[in-house]
Amino acid sequence: MNVHPMHPFLARAAAAASGVAAAVPAGQPLDAPTPCGEFDTRALINHWVLYTSHGLEHRARRTELPGELVARDFTADADWRSAYAAQLERAVAAWGEPAAWEGDVDLGGSPVPAVGIARMLITELVLHGWDVARAVGAEIEVDDELALLVREIVEENAELYRQYAGFAETVSVPDDASAWERALAASGRDPRWKA
């Protein structure tokens, strides 16, 4: 089976996100602040788990997210970390089907090319993965090639995302900042943010 060239990046982004989830301490206070000002840690994790694992699979299959998933507090389950990792595997496998990359995906009533949706979800996996990691004092492992791709996607879409309050204004970074730090900064995240 021919795999879309973007699929390995999706798999690597999912692995990075899974690693962050595994690093969230069991006793972590979930009302703590995050780099996403509108979310505390619980709300951020729930958003991240919903859209980057369940949403990721449903987009590949062109199916609606069930209402019970949208309303679920994933963090209420003691095994949410392993459940997230397993759901990510299912989602990445769904995108392993060539048909997942063809045609459009409905995004709130607007058709968007499937490749564009997958690129957006790659950024969601690692940007919100970084947000969660920072909120709990952990790290996210993003390799240089994935960081360059995320930076490219962020810079291509930043102005559009800002119109919908998806990104804040660009944060300035030093001249020697890495591609990953530049991707974070272009999405309105301060790479120096600490919990």
Side-chain angles (χ1 to χ4, degrees):
M1 175 169 38
N2 290 331
V3 180
H4 192 280
M6 200 61 60
H7 188 262
F9 288 102
L10 182 64
R12 279 148 60 186
S18 182
V20 169
V24 176
Q28 177 69 33
L30 296 181
D31 58 351
T34 72
C36 298
E38 72 275 24
F39 290 138
D40 65 8
T41 306
R42 176 178 286 103
L44 174 59
I45 290 173
N46 282 323
H47 173 86
W48 183 53
V49 169
L50 176 66
Y51 290 106
T52 66
S53 64
H54 297 283
L56 184 63
E57 181 181 8
H58 282 272
R59 299 278 192 226
R61 301 192 189 289
R62 313 303 197 266
T63 54
E64 291 291 316
L65 272 171
E68 72 88 16
L69 278 180
V70 176
R72 182 184 296 175
D73 177 4
F74 297 99
T75 65
D77 299 325
D79 67 344
W80 73 264
R81 299 158 188 79
S82 58
Y84 177 53
Q87 178 57 39
L88 280 171
E89 286 184 18
R90 285 190 290 275
V92 170
W95 282 94
E97 297 294 328
W101 299 87
E102 296 168 1
D104 294 335
V105 175
D106 179 71
L107 188 64
S110 300
V112 177
V115 173
I117 290 288
R119 286 167 63 89
M120 177 187 75
L121 287 165
I122 287 169
T123 64
E124 283 275 299
L125 280 159
V126 295
L127 292 177
H128 277 322
W130 179 85
D131 295 331
V132 172
R134 277 299 156 110
V136 303
E139 296 292 332
I140 185 169
E141 299 294 327
V142 178
D143 64 72
D144 291 344
E145 195 179 21
L146 179 56
L148 284 168
L149 174 66
V150 172
R151 178 184 173 189
E152 173 190 304
I153 297 167
V154 167
E155 289 177 349
E156 281 175 8
N157 296 285
E159 290 311 312
L160 175 64
Y161 289 3
R162 282 190 189 96
Q163 289 175 26
Y164 296 96
F167 286 167
E169 289 303 315
T170 301
V171 174
S172 63
V173 290
D175 292 342
D176 63 351
S178 67
W180 177 234
E181 289 168 331
R182 290 184 184 283
L184 291 168
S187 74
R189 290 163 168 83
D190 184 348
R192 296 155 297 218
W193 192 94
K194 295 253 195 275

